[in-house]
Amino acid sequence: MFTQRFLKDKRGVNLAPSERAALENAISDVRQVPARTILLRAGQPVNASTLLVEGIMSRYIDDRNGLRQLVAVHVPGDFVDLHAFPLKVLEHDVATMTASTVAIIPHAALEDVLSEFPAMNRKLWFATLIDAAIHRAWLFRMGRLDAVGKVAHFLCETNARMVSAGLSDGRRFALDLTQADLAEICGLTTVHINRVLRQLRDEGLCVFRASVVELLDPERLSRRGQFDDGYLYNERAASAVSML
Amino acid sequence: MFTQRFLKDKRGVNLAPSERAALENAISDVRQVPARTILLRAGQPVNASTLLVEGIMSRYIDDRNGLRQLVAVHVPGDFVDLHAFPLKVLEHDVATMTASTVAIIPHAALEDVLSEFPAMNRKLWFATLIDAAIHRAWLFRMGRLDAVGKVAHFLCETNARMVSAGLSDGRRFALDLTQADLAEICGLTTVHINRVLRQLRDEGLCVFRASVVELLDPERLSRRGQFDDGYLYNERAASAVSML
DNA sequence: CGAACGTTTGAGATGACTCAAGCGTTGTGG
DNA sequence: CCACAACGCTTGAGTCATCTCAAACGTTCG
């Protein structure tokens, strides 16, 4: 089941088994994609969307000087460019960060699924709105946190999402990114990311090394990054927002 | 028609007159709201959404030190918290920035409209995805632009959105915000915003004063802020992305 | 008239950047 | 199987953009 992790563990939505099966059937192709491969370019018409099965993907916007800003990082279970289904054109690129397995769902097939299961409309909509909520958390991170806070926030978020995907035990997970990747995610330079990571290590908060992230002190790390998992709408979230 | 400006001028979607009328009918209440009034708090259950008819509204996330980061600014015609319809709880506050007129649409009424006009589902979804695209443009702005670029980008974006709403002639529009507001939007300090505005004025790019924004040289201002209007999905956009 | 608010300016501090170099690891071709 | 190129990580020194703190000024409104 390639769609197993999609919308798993999200408050307020559950795909019925029949719905999940229909989605699974809509998959036209499952592909292995090497690391650092662009799947979609800004401005191209899109007629299929990508469900991430294994690996890490990114969405990013290029600036004029050849630098880029990541606007999203995706973990297994994410429907990476579902928003292209209503939009039809995206204003950013979509690429793999690590070697990935992706399931391709043509928009025409998705259309058929939705006419058979109209209730899924709302659920897919919901899924894209969680991405938007993550965008907002990133805006907060970029605007209000210092460098150490930014990295702390990102690692807490990724940990929480990996927990939902069943890929983190809550303290430790595989994340095969480089320090340059973290720089593009946090809007910092690679050199400075290096110093921030050392600081996080020295303070006993977190270790990022050899493709593994380990939160040494999740509690203090969350506080350092002002991280509150409410915006992820996870089933068992710790935050005040989600207590309601 | 309070809904007149909603989804006006957007590529790929058009509300049919009957759909617009149904939406209009779903309005339970139209209210005048003073400036700087909180309409919705993070974590509250939401059972109605707000269409902005006149004025400027914001969405923001508070940090631990009492500062806040705006994650969205809304202009007339925006369905400010439509995303609360599927989500039911938001992780940010919603407030007016200037004195505003808002139309309240209860979720129950919206549900009725959608069962009568199922095609509207996709159009409302689309509307929330444009907000997400704006979030991404903001992420780019926050991560990759210097202070002058950030302010330039925001003013270009707001101008483009005001043009769509019929409230800017492309160079000049009313925007009753303070320099402190700009600071919360751009993730800068008020003091620095002041210096940036002087620089924009001195370089003949833009004047922000007395509740009016005037783009003295829209072309150069766009370049300074690396602004490309493609992400707004406006009907007549200038950008490469939108040419497709 | 005075209080509140927003804007403007100056001086000094600092967090993050730039440039530069060295080091370790990995993969590859001779 | 070694050598070297490519890549990512680490560190240092100096610079610069933005922040902080502080004060003064103008405008609006009760």
Side-chain angles (χ1 to χ4, degrees):
Chain A
M1 280 288 262
F2 300 111
T3 61
Q4 200 118 43
R5 292 181 167 122
F6 175 57
L7 283 179
K8 208 192 81 177
D9 199 35
K10 292 296 168 200
R11 262 180 308 137
V13 272
N14 269 104
L15 283 192
S18 59
E19 292 174 329
R20 200 175 288 279
L23 198 60
E24 192 81 23
N25 269 322
I27 295 171
S28 67
D29 193 14
V30 175
R31 284 160 44 193
Q32 311 291 328
V33 185
R36 326 250 153 215
T37 305
I38 297 173
L39 296 190
L40 215 63
R41 285 223 178 254
Q44 286 180 339
V46 188
N47 52 38
S49 285
T50 311
L51 185 69
L52 180 56
V53 179
E54 291 290 345
I56 302 287
M57 289 181 62
S58 69
R59 300 192 267 147
Y60 61 87
I61 296 176
D62 285 305
D63 87 350
R64 210 183 319 156
N65 315 315
L67 296 175
R68 43 188 220 175
Q69 176 62 46
L70 290 226
V71 295
V73 165
H74 290 286
V75 304
D78 286 355
F79 211 145
V80 176
D81 49 7
L82 177 56
H83 58 307
F85 175 55
L87 286 177
K88 297 305 176 198
V89 187
L90 298 181
E91 78 300 346
H92 58 261
D93 292 1
V94 175
T96 57
M97 301 189 83
T98 68
S100 301
T101 305
V102 301
I104 308 297
I105 302 187
H107 290 172
L110 197 51
E111 206 69 81
D112 292 345
V113 171
L114 287 174
S115 52
E116 195 184 350
F117 298 93
M120 277 185 78
N121 256 297
R122 195 66 53 85
K123 296 173 184 181
L124 296 186
W125 186 0
F126 184 95
T128 62
L129 293 178
I130 289 180
D131 282 342
I134 295 174
H135 289 334
R136 290 190 289 274
W138 283 36
L139 281 169
F140 172 76
R141 187 187 75 199
M142 302 284 275
R144 284 290 163 244
L145 300 182
D146 64 4
V148 173
K150 282 173 182 158
V151 174
H153 187 283
F154 173 71
L155 294 176
C156 287
E157 172 186 301
T158 305
N159 180 56
R161 294 168 71 186
M162 291 298 255
V163 167
S164 275
L167 296 170
S168 166
D169 62 5
R171 305 185 125 263
R172 231 181 124 81
F173 57 98
L175 187 71
D176 194 13
L177 300 184
T178 65
Q179 297 186 0
D181 290 327
L182 284 185
E184 290 182 330
I185 289 166
C186 294
L188 299 167
T189 58
T190 305
V191 171
H192 201 59
I193 286 286
N194 184 275
R195 302 191 219 264
V196 165
L197 288 177
R198 175 149 42 87
Q199 194 177 330
L200 286 172
R201 205 182 320 127
D202 289 350
E203 293 181 9
L205 292 174
C206 180
V207 180
F208 176 98
R209 207 161 27 191
S211 310
V212 172
V213 177
E214 182 169 6
L215 312 193
L216 302 172
D217 188 336
E219 175 58 37
R220 269 172 59 226
L221 189 68
S222 291
R223 230 175 309 126
R224 188 63 182 79
Q226 296 200 38
F227 174 74
D228 176 315
D229 64 1
Y231 67 92
L232 295 172
Y233 291 77
N234 286 341
E235 201 70 75
R236 313 168 300 271
S239 87
V241 171
S242 56
M243 286 303 169
L244 296 162
Chain B
M1 280 287 262
F2 299 112
T3 62
Q4 200 118 43
R5 292 182 166 123
F6 176 57
L7 284 179
K8 208 192 82 176
D9 199 35
K10 291 297 169 199
R11 262 181 307 139
V13 273
N14 269 104
L15 282 192
S18 59
E19 291 174 331
R20 200 175 289 279
L23 198 61
E24 193 80 22
N25 268 322
I27 295 171
S28 67
D29 193 13
V30 175
R31 284 161 43 194
Q32 312 290 328
V33 185
R36 325 247 152 218
T37 306
I38 296 173
L39 296 190
L40 215 64
R41 286 224 178 254
Q44 285 180 338
V46 188
N47 52 38
S49 286
T50 311
L51 185 67
L52 181 55
V53 179
E54 293 288 347
I56 302 286
M57 290 181 61
S58 69
R59 300 191 268 148
Y60 60 88
I61 296 175
D62 285 304
D63 87 350
R64 209 182 318 152
N65 315 314
L67 297 175
R68 44 187 218 174
Q69 175 62 46
L70 290 227
V71 296
V73 165
H74 289 286
V75 304
D78 286 356
F79 210 144
V80 176
D81 49 7
L82 177 56
H83 58 306
F85 175 55
L87 286 176
K88 298 303 176 199
V89 187
L90 299 181
E91 78 299 346
H92 58 261
D93 291 2
V94 176
T96 57
M97 301 189 82
T98 69
S100 303
T101 306
V102 301
I104 308 298
I105 303 188
H107 289 171
L110 196 50
E111 206 71 80
D112 292 344
V113 171
L114 286 174
S115 53
E116 194 184 349
F117 299 93
M120 278 186 77
N121 256 296
R122 195 66 54 85
K123 296 173 186 182
L124 296 187
W125 187 357
F126 183 95
T128 61
L129 292 179
I130 290 181
D131 282 342
I134 295 173
H135 289 334
R136 289 189 289 274
W138 282 37
L139 280 169
F140 171 76
R141 188 187 74 199
M142 302 285 274
R144 285 290 164 245
L145 300 182
D146 64 5
V148 173
K150 282 173 182 159
V151 175
H153 187 283
F154 172 71
L155 294 177
C156 287
E157 172 185 300
T158 305
N159 180 56
R161 294 169 70 186
M162 291 298 254
V163 167
S164 274
L167 296 170
S168 166
D169 62 4
R171 304 186 124 264
R172 229 181 125 81
F173 58 98
L175 187 71
D176 195 12
L177 301 184
T178 65
Q179 297 186 0
D181 291 327
L182 284 184
E184 291 181 328
I185 290 166
C186 293
L188 299 167
T189 58
T190 306
V191 171
H192 201 59
I193 285 286
N194 184 276
R195 303 192 220 264
V196 165
L197 288 177
R198 176 148 43 87
Q199 194 177 330
L200 286 171
R201 204 182 320 127
D202 290 349
E203 293 181 8
L205 292 173
C206 181
V207 179
F208 177 98
R209 207 161 29 190
S211 308
V212 173
V213 177
E214 182 170 5
L215 312 193
L216 302 172
D217 189 335
E219 174 59 37
R220 269 172 59 226
L221 190 68
S222 290
R223 231 175 307 126
R224 188 65 181 76
Q226 296 200 36
F227 175 74
D228 176 315
D229 63 0
Y231 68 91
L232 295 172
Y233 292 76
N234 286 342
E235 201 71 75
R236 313 168 301 272
S239 87
V241 171
S242 56
M243 287 301 171
L244 297 162

